[in-house]
Amino acid sequence: MSNANNVIILIARILLSFMFIFAGFGKVTDPASTAGMIAGAGLPASTALTYLAGLFELATGIAVLVGFQVRIVGWLLAAFCVFTGFVFHFSPINVPDFPAAANAWLSGLNFVNFLKNITLAGAYIMLATNGAGAYSLDARRGAYAAA
């Protein structure tokens, strides 16, 4: 693989890691809104799940950033994106006492988040398939054959 391609993979890893590092940090430091969303989806132990999700997002986001175990982490994040997309973003939103137009607008935004999650799953599958590139911890430890 050319040096330019390895630089592009590094840039992609940086961009793909940002969302999960940022979101994970937010869940761990201020779990209330996420716990409410988890409870609203009917899942049990919403606060515990919020902290688990936050730690998962932080750990996997940092792993993608530094290029550690990216083939495994990519598959985990792809599955996480699909799961959270369907569980939290696929259904229409219906807030009681909101005007129909407001609920339609919120549902549209929610569906955009669903599409984002499915699209990110594709990016993480590509990362899992192709590896972290030459500028990664995986390459330094010999887990990636840098050309």
Side-chain angles (χ1 to χ4, degrees):
M1 184 179 307
S2 74
N3 188 50
N5 284 348
N6 282 304
V7 169
I8 291 169
I9 291 172
L10 173 63
I11 292 168
R13 283 195 352 253
I14 292 167
L15 294 173
L16 286 168
S17 71
F18 176 75
M19 183 178 76
F20 282 104
I21 293 169
F22 184 78
F25 182 78
K27 285 175 180 70
V28 171
T29 58
D30 186 16
S33 63
T34 301
M37 189 167 73
I38 290 172
L43 297 174
S46 60
T47 300
L49 285 176
T50 298
Y51 282 114
L52 286 173
L55 292 173
F56 173 81
E57 290 176 349
L58 269 173
T60 55
I62 291 168
V64 168
L65 178 64
V66 300
F68 179 71
Q69 297 289 332
V70 165
R71 292 184 188 274
I72 295 168
V73 169
W75 286 110
L76 291 172
L77 283 170
F80 183 82
C81 286
V82 170
F83 173 79
T84 56
F86 276 103
V87 171
F88 298 109
H89 302 300
F90 189 68
S91 299
I93 292 177
N94 185 19
V95 179
D97 299 325
F98 266 35
N103 279 321
W105 183 72
L106 290 172
S107 293
L109 291 176
N110 202 38
F111 190 71
V112 168
N113 276 322
F114 170 76
L115 295 174
K116 176 246 337 160
N117 278 37
I118 299 305
T119 302
L120 279 172
Y124 286 113
I125 290 169
M126 188 176 296
L127 190 61
T129 303
N130 292 304
Y135 304 117
S136 66
L137 289 180
D138 284 351
R140 289 187 58 99
R141 37 182 218 98
Y144 171 77

